[in-house]
Amino acid sequence: MRSKRLSRQLKKAFGDESIETSLPELLSQLTAQVQDSAAREKLTQFAEHFPEFLDSVQEAYDQGEEKLGLAQRSVEISNAELTEVNQNLFSLNKTFDAMVNSLGQGFFIFGSDGICLPVYTKACVTLLETEPPGKFAGDVLGVPSEKMDYFRRWTDLLFKEVVEFSEIAIAGPTTFKHSKGLEVAIEYKPVRDFDGKVELVVAIVTDRTNEVRAKREADEMHAFAVLGSNVIKDSERFRRFVEVSRNLLSETSALLETNSLQEHQLQIIKRNLHTLKGIVGSYGLNRVKEAAHDLESRISKEVDRRLIHGDLRRAVPELRNCFESLLQQHSEVIGDALKSKDPIREVPLPILN
């Protein structure tokens, strides 16, 4: 019995799916009408071999259907396996994502063009206050516009690795200026290709606020001990130190009351800040020391005296307040050391040496 598929093909070709049974009679009638003996012989042979031909076609159909069935089952199995693999990968990705994002440490990846890849941790949003994907790494790290050219050159050196990667990395941005005062540290790790060349760079950002706060508190405790020790050893010397520091700050403030700042005035201010930085450090007033150092550095870097003038007018009063507040904060240690029966007078700096 012929398959339905073959029957359809016979009907399509001959107009009758039962052509196999009626063909011998038709050919016999046709043969009787053909005069050419060679043609009659070919028609007879066709009639004899036609069933064998159909058997071959049927066998080919059967084999094709069997292979198709096997292929379909293989596809079904492959789809099932693929679905299982995808489910496992999805589960693994979710687990990995949960683990990485629970660490509280942020990282993002950028290429040699400085553009950040889509891979990053959610902590970046908190620590860097932005989502890195598609952005330039310098913008993500908060690099000021005036330093962006340096950042681009630094990035180029990272990927060329003309010297050891770690030595180049420390020359890049190592902290992020957070709007809410978080202490964010940044470090960099290379991702290398099969040839060992730097292909990508991973920027790792860490919240060190608690660590920095703990260190600051420890430093303040140490400074408190240094201050107390110095006051106890020589309260009169400490009183003179306070007078000199106040005189330096007063003189600096007076110089800033003018409408413009002359070069010689600027040099006096720099000298006053440098002196203040040195003497407050010996008494453990580290916050004043750091603020004075910061001001001294800003003066050295800025070439426009008008900008320096405005900057100092804002910063010096803050410096004075910082100094006085620290004295007030440590009043229990200082005690009566600042009290003197003598009127307040200016004291030459060599006296403190």
Side-chain angles (χ1 to χ4, degrees):
M1 183 176 178
R2 301 302 180 190
S3 66
K4 292 182 178 180
R5 187 177 181 185
L6 181 56
S7 297
R8 285 196 301 271
Q9 294 299 323
L10 289 172
K11 185 175 182 179
K12 183 177 179 181
F14 299 100
D16 183 3
E17 62 183 33
S18 61
I19 186 65
E20 184 179 358
T21 57
S22 58
L23 184 62
E25 183 179 350
L26 291 174
L27 288 175
S28 177
Q29 296 175 1
L30 183 60
T31 301
Q33 299 175 10
V34 175
Q35 300 298 322
D36 187 358
S37 59
R40 286 200 302 273
E41 184 178 353
K42 289 181 179 180
L43 286 173
T44 302
Q45 290 177 350
F46 176 76
E48 290 176 353
H49 294 290
F50 187 65
E52 295 178 8
F53 168 74
L54 293 180
D55 288 340
S56 300
V57 173
Q58 181 66 60
E59 183 179 358
Y61 277 158
D62 292 341
Q63 291 177 352
E65 289 178 355
E66 183 179 357
K67 290 179 180 179
L68 179 61
L70 289 172
Q72 288 176 335
R73 287 194 295 274
S74 177
V75 169
E76 290 172 359
I77 293 172
S78 298
N79 284 336
E81 290 175 345
L82 184 60
T83 300
E84 183 180 359
V85 170
N86 285 336
Q87 288 175 343
N88 290 337
L89 284 175
F90 178 74
S91 177
L92 183 60
N93 285 337
K94 286 185 65 178
T95 303
F96 177 77
D97 183 67
M99 288 176 61
V100 169
N101 285 312
S102 67
L103 296 176
Q105 193 173 48
F107 76 78
F108 66 91
I109 304 172
F110 60 91
S112 58
D113 58 358
I115 302 301
C116 299
L117 275 61
V119 181
Y120 73 104
T121 58
K122 294 178 182 177
C124 289
V125 179
T126 301
L127 299 179
L128 299 175
E129 302 181 288
T130 189
E131 294 185 357
K135 298 177 182 175
F136 185 63
D139 295 326
V140 174
L141 295 172
V143 177
S145 57
E146 64 271 16
K147 294 184 179 180
M148 199 61 81
D149 286 340
Y150 170 82
F151 180 84
R152 293 179 187 277
R153 292 195 298 272
W154 171 77
T155 302
D156 188 50
L157 289 175
L158 275 181
F159 285 90
K160 289 182 178 177
E161 202 172 13
V162 291
V163 295
E164 188 70 26
F165 181 92
S166 58
E167 295 180 8
I168 305 172
I170 58 176
T174 55
T175 59
F176 176 78
K177 190 174 182 180
H178 200 279
S179 64
K180 296 182 179 179
L182 296 181
E183 300 285 349
V184 180
I186 310 167
E187 58 181 323
Y188 308 90
K189 300 294 182 182
V191 177
R192 302 182 184 277
D193 58 19
F194 290 111
D195 297 325
K197 296 180 180 179
V198 179
E199 185 175 21
L200 300 168
V201 172
V202 180
I204 305 170
V205 291
T206 307
D207 184 359
R208 300 200 182 280
T209 305
N210 292 334
E211 180 183 332
V212 172
R213 184 181 295 123
K215 184 180 183 303
R216 186 179 294 125
E217 290 174 355
D219 290 343
E220 288 179 356
M221 289 180 65
H222 175 71
F224 184 80
V226 171
L227 179 63
S229 174
N230 280 299
V231 171
I232 292 171
K233 285 179 181 179
D234 192 339
S235 60
E236 179 61 23
R237 187 171 185 273
F238 174 74
R239 188 183 65 79
R240 293 198 302 270
F241 149 72
V242 173
E243 289 180 11
V244 170
S245 298
R246 284 173 172 167
N247 287 337
L248 288 170
L249 288 167
S250 296
E251 182 182 17
T252 301
S253 296
L255 289 171
L256 295 172
E257 291 176 0
T258 58
N259 292 328
S260 61
L261 196 62
Q262 302 302 315
E263 181 61 30
H264 74 279
Q265 293 173 313
L266 184 60
Q267 293 304 318
I268 293 173
I269 292 173
K270 287 177 66 175
R271 185 171 63 248
N272 287 352
L273 290 172
H274 185 76
T275 302
L276 181 67
K277 179 179 69 173
I279 62 177
V280 296
S282 63
Y283 280 91
L285 302 182
N286 293 330
R287 268 190 281 172
V288 180
K289 177 182 177 181
E290 291 170 3
H293 174 71
D294 182 55
L295 265 181
E296 188 182 5
S297 299
R298 280 147 64 183
I299 292 173
S300 299
K301 292 177 181 178
E302 184 57 67
V303 294
D304 190 334
R305 281 207 299 270
R306 289 174 300 177
L307 293 178
I308 296 174
H309 195 187
D311 198 12
L312 288 171
R313 275 186 163 180
R314 290 187 296 271
V316 170
E318 294 177 0
L319 184 61
R320 294 183 71 175
N321 291 337
C322 179
F323 179 76
E324 295 298 336
S325 65
L326 281 176
L327 293 180
Q328 182 63 34
Q329 181 181 337
H330 299 310
S331 59
E332 293 183 2
V333 175
I334 296 171
D336 296 331
L338 295 182
K339 294 181 181 180
S340 174
K341 295 180 182 179
D342 300 328
I344 297 175
R345 65 188 186 282
E346 291 190 9
V347 181
L349 292 180
I351 293 178
L352 294 178
N353 297 333

